[in-house]
Coordinates of all heavy atoms in Angstrom, one line a residue:
M15 N 44.1 -52.1 94.2 CA 44.2 -51.8 95.7 C 43.0 -51.1 96.1 O 42.6 -50.1 95.6 CB 45.5 -51.0 96.0 CG 45.7 -50.6 97.4 SD 46.2 -52.0 98.5 CE 47.9 -52.1 98.1
S16 N 42.3 -51.6 97.2 CA 41.1 -51.0 97.7 C 41.4 -49.8 98.5 O 42.4 -49.7 99.2 CB 40.3 -52.0 98.5 OG 40.0 -53.1 97.8
K17 N 40.5 -48.8 98.5 CA 40.6 -47.7 99.3 C 40.2 -48.1 100.7 O 39.4 -49.0 100.9 CB 39.8 -46.5 98.8 CG 40.3 -46.0 97.5 CD 39.5 -44.8 97.1 CE 40.0 -44.2 95.8 NZ 39.1 -43.2 95.2
I18 N 40.6 -47.3 101.7 CA 40.2 -47.6 103.1 C 38.7 -47.6 103.3 O 38.1 -48.4 104.0 CB 40.9 -46.6 104.1 CG1 40.6 -46.9 105.6 CG2 40.5 -45.1 103.8 CD1 41.3 -48.2 106.0
E19 N 38.0 -46.6 102.6 CA 36.5 -46.6 102.7 C 35.9 -47.9 102.2 O 34.9 -48.4 102.8 CB 36.0 -45.4 101.9 CG 36.3 -44.0 102.5 CD 37.7 -43.6 102.1 OE1 38.4 -44.2 101.3 OE2 38.1 -42.5 102.7
E20 N 36.5 -48.5 101.2 CA 35.9 -49.7 100.6 C 36.2 -50.8 101.6 O 35.4 -51.7 101.8 CB 36.6 -50.0 99.3 CG 36.2 -49.0 98.2 CD 37.0 -49.2 97.0 OE1 37.9 -50.0 96.9 OE2 36.7 -48.4 96.0
K21 N 37.4 -50.8 102.3 CA 37.7 -51.9 103.2 C 36.8 -51.8 104.5 O 36.3 -52.8 105.0 CB 39.1 -51.8 103.7 CG 40.1 -52.2 102.5 CD 41.5 -52.1 103.0 CE 42.5 -52.5 101.9 NZ 42.5 -53.9 101.6
L22 N 36.5 -50.5 104.9 CA 35.7 -50.4 106.1 C 34.3 -50.8 105.8 O 33.6 -51.3 106.7 CB 35.7 -48.9 106.5 CG 37.0 -48.4 107.2 CD1 37.0 -46.9 107.3 CD2 37.3 -49.1 108.5
F23 N 33.8 -50.6 104.6 CA 32.5 -51.0 104.2 C 32.3 -52.5 104.4 O 31.1 -53.0 104.5 CB 32.2 -50.6 102.8 CG 30.8 -50.7 102.4 CD1 29.8 -49.9 102.9 CD2 30.4 -51.7 101.5 CE1 28.5 -50.1 102.5 CE2 29.1 -51.9 101.1 CZ 28.1 -51.1 101.6
Q24 N 33.3 -53.3 104.4 CA 33.2 -54.7 104.6 C 33.0 -55.2 106.0 O 32.6 -56.3 106.3 CB 34.4 -55.4 104.0 CG 34.6 -55.2 102.5 CD 35.9 -55.8 102.0 OE1 36.8 -56.0 102.7 NE2 35.9 -56.1 100.7
D25 N 33.2 -54.2 106.9 CA 32.9 -54.6 108.3 C 31.5 -54.2 108.7 O 30.8 -53.5 108.1 CB 33.9 -53.7 109.2 CG 35.3 -54.1 108.9 OD1 35.6 -55.2 108.6 OD2 36.2 -53.1 109.0
R26 N 31.1 -54.8 109.8 CA 29.7 -54.5 110.4 C 29.9 -54.1 111.8 O 30.9 -54.5 112.5 CB 28.8 -55.8 110.3 CG 28.6 -56.2 108.9 CD 27.7 -55.2 108.1 NE 27.5 -55.6 106.7 CZ 28.2 -55.3 105.7 NH1 29.3 -54.5 105.9 NH2 28.0 -55.7 104.5
Y27 N 29.0 -53.3 112.3 CA 29.1 -52.8 113.6 C 27.8 -52.9 114.3 O 26.7 -52.5 113.8 CB 29.5 -51.3 113.5 CG 30.0 -50.8 114.9 CD1 31.3 -50.9 115.3 CD2 29.0 -50.2 115.7 CE1 31.7 -50.4 116.5 CE2 29.4 -49.7 116.9 CZ 30.7 -49.8 117.3 OH 31.1 -49.4 118.6
R28 N 27.8 -53.4 115.5 CA 26.6 -53.5 116.3 C 26.6 -52.4 117.4 O 27.5 -52.5 118.4 CB 26.4 -54.9 116.9 CG 25.1 -55.1 117.6 CD 24.7 -56.5 117.6 NE 23.4 -56.6 118.4 CZ 23.3 -57.4 119.5 NH1 24.4 -58.1 119.9 NH2 22.2 -57.4 120.2
V29 N 25.8 -51.4 117.3 CA 25.8 -50.3 118.2 C 25.2 -50.6 119.6 O 24.1 -51.2 119.7 CB 25.0 -49.1 117.6 CG1 25.0 -47.9 118.6 CG2 25.7 -48.7 116.3
D30 N 25.9 -50.3 120.7 CA 25.4 -50.4 122.0 C 25.0 -49.1 122.5 O 25.7 -48.3 123.1 CB 26.6 -50.9 122.9 CG 26.1 -51.3 124.3 OD1 24.9 -51.1 124.6 OD2 26.8 -51.9 125.1
A31 N 23.7 -48.8 122.1 CA 23.2 -47.4 122.3 C 23.2 -47.0 123.8 O 23.4 -45.8 124.1 CB 21.8 -47.3 121.8
D32 N 23.0 -47.9 124.7 CA 22.9 -47.6 126.1 C 24.3 -47.4 126.8 O 24.4 -46.8 127.9 CB 22.2 -48.7 126.9 CG 20.8 -48.8 126.4 OD1 20.2 -47.8 126.0 OD2 20.2 -49.9 126.5
R33 N 25.3 -47.8 126.1 CA 26.6 -47.8 126.8 C 27.8 -47.6 125.8 O 28.4 -48.6 125.4 CB 26.8 -49.1 127.6 CG 28.0 -49.2 128.5 CD 28.0 -50.5 129.2 NE 29.3 -50.8 129.9 CZ 30.4 -51.3 129.3 NH1 30.3 -51.5 128.0 NH2 31.5 -51.5 129.9
P34 N 28.0 -46.4 125.4 CA 29.2 -46.2 124.5 C 30.5 -46.6 125.2 O 30.7 -46.3 126.4 CB 29.2 -44.6 124.3 CG 28.2 -44.1 125.3 CD 27.3 -45.1 125.8
H35 N 31.3 -47.3 124.5 CA 32.5 -47.9 125.1 C 33.7 -46.9 125.2 O 34.6 -47.2 125.9 CB 32.9 -49.2 124.4 CG 33.5 -49.0 123.1 ND1 32.6 -48.7 122.0 CD2 34.7 -49.1 122.5 CE1 33.4 -48.6 120.9 NE2 34.6 -48.8 121.2
I36 N 33.5 -45.8 124.5 CA 34.5 -44.7 124.6 C 33.8 -43.4 124.9 O 32.8 -43.1 124.3 CB 35.3 -44.6 123.3 CG1 35.9 -45.9 122.9 CG2 36.4 -43.5 123.5 CD1 36.6 -45.8 121.6
Q37 N 34.3 -42.7 125.9 CA 33.7 -41.4 126.2 C 34.8 -40.3 126.4 O 35.8 -40.6 126.9 CB 32.8 -41.5 127.4 CG 31.6 -42.4 127.2 CD 30.7 -42.4 128.4 OE1 30.3 -41.4 128.9 NE2 30.4 -43.6 128.9
I38 N 34.4 -39.1 126.0 CA 35.3 -38.0 126.4 C 35.0 -37.6 127.8 O 33.8 -37.4 128.2 CB 35.0 -36.8 125.4 CG1 35.5 -37.1 124.0 CG2 35.6 -35.5 125.9 CD1 35.2 -36.1 122.9
K39 N 36.0 -37.5 128.6 CA 35.8 -37.2 130.0 C 35.3 -35.8 130.3 O 34.4 -35.6 131.0 CB 37.1 -37.5 130.8 CG 37.6 -38.9 130.8 CD 38.9 -39.0 131.6 CE 39.6 -40.3 131.5 NZ 40.9 -40.3 132.1
D40 N 35.9 -34.8 129.7 CA 35.6 -33.4 129.9 C 35.7 -32.7 128.6 O 36.7 -32.4 128.0 CB 36.7 -32.9 130.9 CG 36.3 -31.4 131.3 OD1 35.5 -30.8 130.7 OD2 36.9 -31.0 132.4
A41 N 34.5 -32.3 128.1 CA 34.4 -31.6 126.9 C 35.1 -30.2 126.9 O 35.6 -29.8 125.8 CB 32.9 -31.4 126.5
E42 N 35.2 -29.6 128.0 CA 35.9 -28.3 128.1 C 37.4 -28.5 127.8 O 38.0 -27.6 127.2 CB 35.8 -27.7 129.5 CG 34.4 -27.3 129.9 CD 34.0 -26.1 129.0 OE1 34.8 -25.2 128.8 OE2 32.8 -26.1 128.6
I43 N 38.0 -29.6 128.2 CA 39.4 -29.9 127.9 C 39.6 -30.0 126.4 O 40.6 -29.5 125.8 CB 39.9 -31.1 128.7 CG1 39.9 -30.8 130.2 CG2 41.2 -31.6 128.2 CD1 40.3 -32.0 131.0
C44 N 38.7 -30.7 125.7 CA 38.8 -30.8 124.3 C 38.7 -29.5 123.6 O 39.4 -29.2 122.6 CB 37.7 -31.7 123.8 SG 37.9 -33.5 124.2
A45 N 37.8 -28.6 124.1 CA 37.7 -27.3 123.4 C 39.0 -26.5 123.5 O 39.3 -25.7 122.7 CB 36.5 -26.6 124.1
R46 N 39.8 -26.8 124.6 CA 41.0 -26.1 124.8 C 42.2 -26.8 124.2 O 43.4 -26.3 124.2 CB 41.3 -25.8 126.3 CG 40.3 -24.9 127.0 CD 40.8 -24.4 128.3 NE 41.2 -25.5 129.2 CZ 40.5 -26.1 130.1 NH1 39.2 -25.7 130.2 NH2 40.9 -27.1 130.8
C47 N 42.0 -28.0 123.8 CA 43.1 -28.9 123.3 C 43.7 -28.3 122.1 O 43.0 -28.0 121.1 CB 42.6 -30.3 123.0 SG 43.8 -31.4 122.4
R48 N 45.0 -28.1 122.1 CA 45.7 -27.3 121.0 C 45.6 -28.0 119.6 O 45.2 -27.4 118.7 CB 47.2 -27.2 121.4 CG 47.9 -26.1 120.5 CD 49.2 -25.7 121.2 NE 49.7 -26.8 122.1 CZ 50.9 -27.3 122.0 NH1 51.7 -26.9 121.1 NH2 51.3 -28.2 122.9
N49 N 45.9 -29.3 119.6 CA 45.9 -30.0 118.3 C 44.7 -30.8 117.9 O 44.5 -31.1 116.8 CB 47.2 -30.9 118.2 CG 48.5 -30.1 118.2 OD1 48.6 -29.0 117.7 ND2 49.4 -30.6 119.0
Q50 N 43.9 -31.2 118.9 CA 42.8 -32.0 118.7 C 43.1 -33.2 117.8 O 42.4 -33.4 116.8 CB 41.6 -31.2 118.2 CG 41.1 -30.1 119.2 CD 39.9 -29.3 118.8 OE1 39.7 -29.1 117.7 NE2 39.2 -28.8 119.8
Q51 N 44.2 -33.8 118.1 CA 44.8 -34.8 117.3 C 43.8 -36.0 117.0 O 43.9 -36.7 116.0 CB 46.1 -35.3 117.8 CG 46.1 -35.8 119.2 CD 46.4 -34.7 120.2 OE1 46.0 -33.6 120.0 NE2 47.2 -35.1 121.2
C52 N 42.9 -36.3 118.0 CA 42.0 -37.4 117.8 C 41.1 -37.2 116.5 O 40.7 -38.2 115.9 CB 41.1 -37.5 119.0 SG 40.2 -36.0 119.4
T53 N 40.9 -35.9 116.1 CA 40.0 -35.7 115.0 C 40.7 -36.0 113.6 O 40.1 -36.1 112.6 CB 39.6 -34.2 114.9 OG1 40.7 -33.4 114.8 CG2 38.9 -33.8 116.2
V54 N 42.0 -36.2 113.7 CA 42.7 -36.6 112.4 C 43.3 -38.0 112.5 O 43.7 -38.6 111.5 CB 43.8 -35.6 112.0 CG1 43.2 -34.3 111.6 CG2 44.8 -35.4 113.1
C55 N 43.4 -38.6 113.7 CA 44.1 -39.9 113.8 C 43.2 -41.1 113.9 O 43.6 -42.2 113.6 CB 44.9 -39.9 115.1 SG 46.4 -38.8 115.0
C56 N 41.9 -40.9 114.2 CA 41.0 -42.0 114.3 C 40.7 -42.5 112.8 O 40.2 -41.8 112.0 CB 39.7 -41.6 114.9 SG 38.4 -42.9 114.8
P57 N 41.1 -43.8 112.6 CA 40.9 -44.3 111.2 C 39.4 -44.4 110.8 O 39.1 -44.5 109.6 CB 41.5 -45.7 111.3 CG 41.5 -46.1 112.7 CD 41.6 -44.8 113.5
A58 N 38.5 -44.5 111.8 CA 37.1 -44.6 111.5 C 36.4 -43.2 111.5 O 35.2 -43.1 111.3 CB 36.4 -45.5 112.5
G59 N 37.1 -42.2 111.8 CA 36.5 -40.8 111.8 C 35.5 -40.6 112.9 O 34.5 -39.9 112.6
C60 N 35.7 -41.2 114.0 CA 34.7 -41.1 115.1 C 34.7 -39.8 115.8 O 33.7 -39.4 116.4 CB 35.0 -42.2 116.1 SG 34.7 -43.9 115.5
Y61 N 35.9 -39.1 115.7 CA 36.0 -37.8 116.4 C 35.9 -36.7 115.3 O 36.5 -36.8 114.3 CB 37.3 -37.6 117.1 CG 37.5 -38.5 118.3 CD1 37.9 -39.8 118.1 CD2 37.3 -38.1 119.6 CE1 38.1 -40.7 119.2 CE2 37.5 -38.9 120.7 CZ 37.9 -40.2 120.5 OH 38.1 -41.0 121.5
S62 N 35.1 -35.7 115.6 CA 35.0 -34.6 114.6 C 35.1 -33.2 115.3 O 34.6 -33.0 116.4 CB 33.8 -34.7 113.8 OG 32.6 -34.7 114.6
R63 N 35.8 -32.3 114.7 CA 35.9 -30.9 115.2 C 34.6 -30.2 114.7 O 34.3 -30.1 113.5 CB 37.1 -30.3 114.7 CG 37.4 -28.9 115.1 CD 38.7 -28.4 114.6 NE 38.8 -26.9 114.6 CZ 39.0 -26.2 115.7 NH1 39.3 -26.8 116.8 NH2 39.1 -24.9 115.7
E64 N 33.9 -29.6 115.7 CA 32.7 -28.8 115.4 C 33.1 -27.4 115.1 O 34.1 -26.9 115.4 CB 31.7 -28.9 116.5 CG 31.4 -30.3 116.9 CD 30.6 -31.1 115.8 OE1 29.5 -30.7 115.5 OE2 31.2 -32.0 115.3
A65 N 32.1 -26.7 114.5 CA 32.3 -25.3 114.1 C 32.6 -24.4 115.3 O 33.3 -23.4 115.2 CB 31.1 -24.8 113.4
D66 N 32.1 -24.8 116.5 CA 32.3 -23.9 117.7 C 33.6 -24.3 118.4 O 33.9 -23.8 119.5 CB 31.1 -24.0 118.6 CG 31.0 -25.5 119.2 OD1 31.7 -26.4 118.8 OD2 30.0 -25.7 120.0
G67 N 34.4 -25.2 117.8 CA 35.7 -25.5 118.4 C 35.6 -26.7 119.3 O 36.7 -27.2 119.8
S68 N 34.4 -27.2 119.6 CA 34.3 -28.4 120.4 C 34.6 -29.7 119.6 O 34.8 -29.6 118.4 CB 32.9 -28.5 121.0 OG 32.0 -28.7 120.0
V69 N 34.7 -30.8 120.3 CA 35.0 -32.1 119.6 C 33.8 -33.0 119.9 O 33.4 -33.2 121.1 CB 36.3 -32.7 120.1 CG1 36.5 -34.1 119.6 CG2 37.5 -31.9 119.6
A70 N 33.3 -33.6 118.9 CA 32.2 -34.6 119.0 C 32.7 -36.0 118.8 O 33.6 -36.2 118.0 CB 31.1 -34.3 118.0
L71 N 32.2 -36.9 119.6 CA 32.6 -38.3 119.4 C 31.4 -39.2 119.2 O 30.4 -39.1 119.9 CB 33.3 -38.8 120.7 CG 33.5 -40.3 120.9 CD1 34.4 -40.8 119.8 CD2 34.1 -40.6 122.3
A72 N 31.4 -40.0 118.1 CA 30.4 -40.9 117.8 C 31.1 -42.3 117.6 O 31.8 -42.4 116.7 CB 29.6 -40.6 116.6
T73 N 30.8 -43.2 118.5 CA 31.6 -44.5 118.5 C 31.1 -45.5 117.5 O 31.7 -46.6 117.3 CB 31.6 -45.1 119.9 OG1 30.3 -45.3 120.3 CG2 32.4 -44.2 120.9
D74 N 30.0 -45.2 116.8 CA 29.5 -46.1 115.7 C 30.7 -46.3 114.7 O 31.2 -45.3 114.2 CB 28.3 -45.5 115.0 CG 27.2 -45.1 115.9 OD1 27.4 -45.2 117.1 OD2 26.1 -44.7 115.4
G75 N 31.0 -47.5 114.4 CA 32.0 -47.7 113.4 C 33.4 -47.8 114.0 O 34.4 -48.0 113.3
C76 N 33.5 -47.7 115.3 CA 34.9 -47.7 116.0 C 35.5 -49.1 115.7 O 34.9 -50.1 115.8 CB 34.7 -47.5 117.5 SG 36.2 -47.9 118.4
L77 N 36.8 -49.1 115.3 CA 37.5 -50.3 115.0 C 38.2 -50.9 116.2 O 38.9 -51.9 116.1 CB 38.6 -50.0 113.9 CG 38.0 -49.4 112.6 CD1 39.1 -48.9 111.7 CD2 37.1 -50.4 111.9
E78 N 38.1 -50.3 117.4 CA 38.7 -50.8 118.6 C 40.2 -50.9 118.5 O 40.8 -51.8 119.0 CB 38.0 -52.1 119.0 CG 36.5 -52.0 119.2 CD 35.8 -53.3 119.4 OE1 36.4 -54.3 119.7 OE2 34.6 -53.3 119.2
C79 N 40.8 -49.9 117.8 CA 42.2 -50.0 117.6 C 43.0 -49.4 118.7 O 44.2 -49.7 118.9 CB 42.6 -49.2 116.3 SG 42.3 -47.4 116.4
G80 N 42.4 -48.5 119.6 CA 43.0 -48.0 120.7 C 43.8 -46.7 120.5 O 44.4 -46.1 121.4
T81 N 43.8 -46.3 119.2 CA 44.6 -45.1 118.9 C 44.3 -43.9 119.7 O 45.1 -43.1 120.2 CB 44.5 -44.8 117.4 OG1 44.9 -45.9 116.6 CG2 45.3 -43.5 117.0
C82 N 43.0 -43.7 119.9 CA 42.5 -42.4 120.5 C 43.0 -42.3 122.0 O 43.3 -41.3 122.5 CB 41.0 -42.2 120.4 SG 40.0 -43.6 121.0
R83 N 43.1 -43.4 122.7 CA 43.5 -43.4 124.1 C 45.0 -43.2 124.2 O 45.5 -42.7 125.2 CB 43.0 -44.6 124.9 CG 43.7 -45.9 124.6 CD 43.2 -46.9 125.6 NE 43.7 -48.2 125.2 CZ 43.5 -49.3 126.0 NH1 42.8 -49.2 127.1 NH2 43.9 -50.5 125.6
I84 N 45.7 -43.5 123.2 CA 47.2 -43.3 123.2 C 47.5 -41.9 122.7 O 48.3 -41.2 123.3 CB 47.9 -44.3 122.2 CG1 47.5 -45.8 122.6 CG2 49.4 -44.1 122.1 CD1 48.1 -46.2 123.9
I85 N 46.8 -41.4 121.7 CA 47.1 -40.2 121.1 C 46.7 -39.0 122.0 O 47.3 -37.9 121.9 CB 46.4 -40.0 119.7 CG1 47.2 -39.1 118.8 CG2 45.0 -39.6 119.8 CD1 48.4 -39.7 118.2
C86 N 45.8 -39.2 122.9 CA 45.3 -38.2 123.8 C 46.3 -38.2 125.0 O 45.9 -38.3 126.2 CB 43.9 -38.4 124.3 SG 43.3 -37.0 125.3
D87 N 47.6 -38.1 124.8 CA 48.6 -38.3 125.8 C 48.8 -37.1 126.7 O 49.1 -37.3 127.9 CB 49.9 -38.7 125.1 CG 50.4 -37.7 124.1 OD1 49.6 -36.8 123.7 OD2 51.6 -37.7 123.7
E88 N 48.5 -35.9 126.2 CA 48.8 -34.7 127.0 C 47.7 -34.6 128.1 O 47.9 -34.3 129.2 CB 48.8 -33.5 126.1 CG 49.2 -32.2 126.9 CD 49.2 -31.0 126.0 OE1 49.2 -31.2 124.7 OE2 49.2 -29.9 126.5
H89 N 46.4 -34.8 127.7 CA 45.3 -34.5 128.6 C 44.7 -35.8 129.2 O 44.0 -35.7 130.2 CB 44.2 -33.8 127.8 CG 44.6 -32.4 127.3 ND1 45.0 -31.4 128.1 CD2 44.8 -32.0 126.0 CE1 45.4 -30.3 127.4 NE2 45.3 -30.7 126.1
R90 N 45.0 -36.9 128.6 CA 44.4 -38.2 129.1 C 42.9 -38.0 129.3 O 42.4 -38.3 130.4 CB 45.1 -38.7 130.3 CG 46.6 -39.0 130.1 CD 47.2 -39.7 131.3 NE 48.6 -39.9 131.0 CZ 49.2 -40.8 130.3 NH1 48.4 -41.6 129.6 NH2 50.5 -40.9 130.1
N91 N 42.2 -37.5 128.3 CA 40.8 -37.1 128.4 C 39.8 -38.2 127.8 O 38.7 -37.9 127.5 CB 40.6 -35.8 127.7 CG 39.3 -35.1 128.2 OD1 38.9 -35.3 129.3 ND2 38.8 -34.2 127.3
V92 N 40.3 -39.3 127.5 CA 39.5 -40.4 126.8 C 39.3 -41.5 127.8 O 40.3 -42.1 128.3 CB 40.2 -40.9 125.5 CG1 39.4 -42.1 125.0 CG2 40.2 -39.8 124.5
A93 N 38.1 -41.8 128.1 CA 37.8 -43.0 128.9 C 37.4 -44.2 127.9 O 36.5 -44.1 127.2 CB 36.6 -42.8 129.8
W94 N 38.2 -45.2 128.0 CA 38.2 -46.2 126.9 C 38.0 -47.6 127.5 O 38.7 -48.0 128.5 CB 39.5 -46.2 126.2 CG 39.5 -46.8 124.8 CD1 39.6 -46.1 123.6 CD2 39.6 -48.2 124.4 NE1 39.6 -46.9 122.5 CE2 39.6 -48.2 123.0 CE3 39.6 -49.4 125.1 CZ2 39.7 -49.4 122.3 CZ3 39.7 -50.5 124.4 CH2 39.7 -50.6 123.0
E95 N 37.0 -48.3 127.1 CA 36.7 -49.7 127.5 C 36.4 -50.5 126.2 O 36.0 -50.0 125.2 CB 35.5 -49.8 128.4 CG 35.7 -49.1 129.7 CD 34.4 -49.1 130.5 OE1 33.5 -49.9 130.2 OE2 34.3 -48.5 131.6
W96 N 36.5 -51.8 126.4 CA 36.1 -52.7 125.3 C 34.5 -52.6 125.3 O 33.9 -52.5 126.4 CB 36.5 -54.1 125.5 CG 38.0 -54.3 125.4 CD1 38.9 -54.6 126.4 CD2 38.8 -54.3 124.2 NE1 40.1 -54.7 126.0 CE2 40.1 -54.5 124.6 CE3 38.5 -54.0 122.9 CZ2 41.2 -54.5 123.7 CZ3 39.6 -54.0 122.0 CH2 40.9 -54.3 122.4
P97 N 33.9 -52.8 124.1 CA 32.4 -52.9 124.1 C 32.0 -54.2 124.9 O 32.8 -55.1 125.1 CB 32.1 -53.1 122.6 CG 33.3 -52.6 121.9 CD 34.5 -52.9 122.8
R98 N 30.8 -54.2 125.3 CA 30.2 -55.4 126.0 C 30.1 -56.5 124.9 O 30.1 -56.3 123.7 CB 28.8 -55.1 126.4 CG 28.7 -54.2 127.6 CD 27.3 -54.1 128.2 NE 26.4 -53.4 127.3 CZ 25.1 -53.3 127.6 NH1 24.6 -53.8 128.8 NH2 24.3 -52.6 126.8
G99 N 30.1 -57.7 125.5 CA 30.0 -58.9 124.6 C 28.8 -58.8 123.6 O 27.7 -58.4 124.0
G100 N 29.1 -59.1 122.4 CA 28.0 -59.0 121.4 C 27.8 -57.7 120.7 O 27.1 -57.6 119.7
F101 N 28.6 -56.7 121.2 CA 28.5 -55.4 120.5 C 29.9 -55.0 119.9 O 30.9 -55.6 120.3 CB 28.1 -54.3 121.6 CG 26.7 -54.5 122.1 CD1 26.5 -55.1 123.3 CD2 25.6 -54.0 121.4 CE1 25.2 -55.3 123.7 CE2 24.3 -54.1 121.8 CZ 24.1 -54.8 123.0
G102 N 29.8 -54.0 119.1 CA 31.1 -53.5 118.6 C 31.3 -54.0 117.1 O 30.4 -54.4 116.4
I103 N 32.6 -53.9 116.8 CA 33.0 -54.2 115.4 C 32.9 -55.7 115.1 O 33.3 -56.5 116.0 CB 34.4 -53.6 115.1 CG1 34.7 -53.7 113.6 CG2 35.4 -54.3 115.9 CD1 34.0 -52.6 112.8
L104 N 32.5 -56.1 113.9 CA 32.5 -57.4 113.5 C 33.4 -57.5 112.2 O 33.0 -56.9 111.2 CB 31.1 -57.9 113.2 CG 30.1 -57.8 114.4 CD1 28.7 -58.0 113.9 CD2 30.5 -58.8 115.4
F105 N 34.5 -58.1 112.3 CA 35.4 -58.2 111.1 C 35.1 -59.6 110.4 O 35.1 -60.5 111.2 CB 36.9 -58.2 111.5 CG 37.3 -56.9 112.2 CD1 37.4 -56.9 113.6 CD2 37.7 -55.8 111.5 CE1 37.9 -55.7 114.2 CE2 38.1 -54.6 112.1 CZ 38.2 -54.6 113.5
K106 N 35.2 -59.7 109.2 CA 34.8 -58.8 108.2 C 34.0 -59.6 107.2 O 34.2 -60.8 107.1 CB 36.1 -58.2 107.6 CG 36.6 -58.9 106.3 CD 37.8 -58.2 105.7 CE 38.0 -58.7 104.3 NZ 39.1 -58.1 103.6
F107 N 33.2 -58.9 106.4 CA 32.3 -59.5 105.5 C 32.5 -59.0 104.1 O 32.6 -57.9 103.9 CB 30.8 -59.1 105.9 CG 30.5 -59.6 107.3 CD1 30.8 -58.9 108.4 CD2 29.9 -60.8 107.5 CE1 30.5 -59.3 109.7 CE2 29.6 -61.3 108.8 CZ 29.9 -60.5 109.9
G108 N 32.6 -59.9 103.2 CA 32.9 -59.5 101.8 C 34.3 -59.7 101.4 O 35.2 -60.0 102.2
Ligands
SF4_22 S1 43.2 -35.3 121.8 FE1 42.1 -35.7 123.8 S2 41.8 -33.7 124.8 FE2 42.4 -33.3 122.6 S3 40.5 -33.1 121.6 FE3 41.0 -35.3 121.4 S4 40.0 -36.3 123.2 FE4 40.0 -34.1 123.6
SF4_23 S1 39.6 -47.0 119.2 FE1 40.4 -46.4 117.1 S2 38.6 -46.5 115.8 FE2 37.8 -46.4 117.9 S3 37.4 -44.3 118.2 FE3 39.5 -44.7 119.0 S4 40.9 -44.2 117.3 FE4 38.8 -44.4 116.5

């Protein structure tokens, strides 16, 4: 049985540097968010808790699963769109 990291390695991702398809609306809200559940629920590890208590988002490698916009149910602090055509995740190689 392959590990998740091995499976993810089989995907490819085309970064849209000018237009991230997911953005945190208000960083202050994330800093006050009690559970910061996005940092543990994203299967691609796009959200990370920083040492100062803030949350960083890097959409490289996003699987477009939609979990983060559902899991941020209390604050609704995630602006989520599909990537533009030609960008984003490409399933799967290997
Ligand atoms: S769950 Fe929402 S409000 Fe909380 S840290 Fe994540 S994106 Fe921010
Ligand atoms: S859509 Fe899924 S993979 Fe992409 S950032 Fe949100 S939780 Fe992570």
Side-chain angles (χ1 to χ4, degrees):
M15 179 71 80
S16 299
K17 293 181 179 173
I18 184 72
E19 290 81 6
E20 293 169 356
K21 291 180 181 290
L22 289 172
F23 188 71
Q24 294 176 338
D25 298 326
R26 297 291 177 267
Y27 192 88
R28 185 153 176 241
V29 177
D30 190 350
D32 297 332
R33 186 177 168 279
H35 68 288
I36 306 173
Q37 297 186 51
I38 289 173
K39 295 180 190 170
D40 185 341
E42 292 293 321
I43 291 176
C44 291
R46 295 197 308 269
C47 178
R48 193 163 26 124
N49 296 322
Q50 297 183 329
Q51 55 269 38
C52 56
T53 63
V54 292
C55 292
C56 171
C60 294
Y61 293 82
S62 56
R63 181 179 160 79
E64 303 294 293
D66 64 359
S68 64
V69 170
L71 167 62
T73 55
D74 304 8
C76 168
L77 301 170
E78 300 169 21
C79 67
T81 301
C82 54
R83 71 173 173 177
I84 302 297
I85 207 77
C86 186
D87 56 344
E88 184 181 349
H89 299 295
R90 300 190 183 283
N91 198 28
V92 173
W94 202 103
E95 295 176 9
W96 294 108
R98 289 190 289 180
F101 293 95
I103 190 76
L104 304 166
F105 299 100
K106 96 175 198 181
F107 299 85

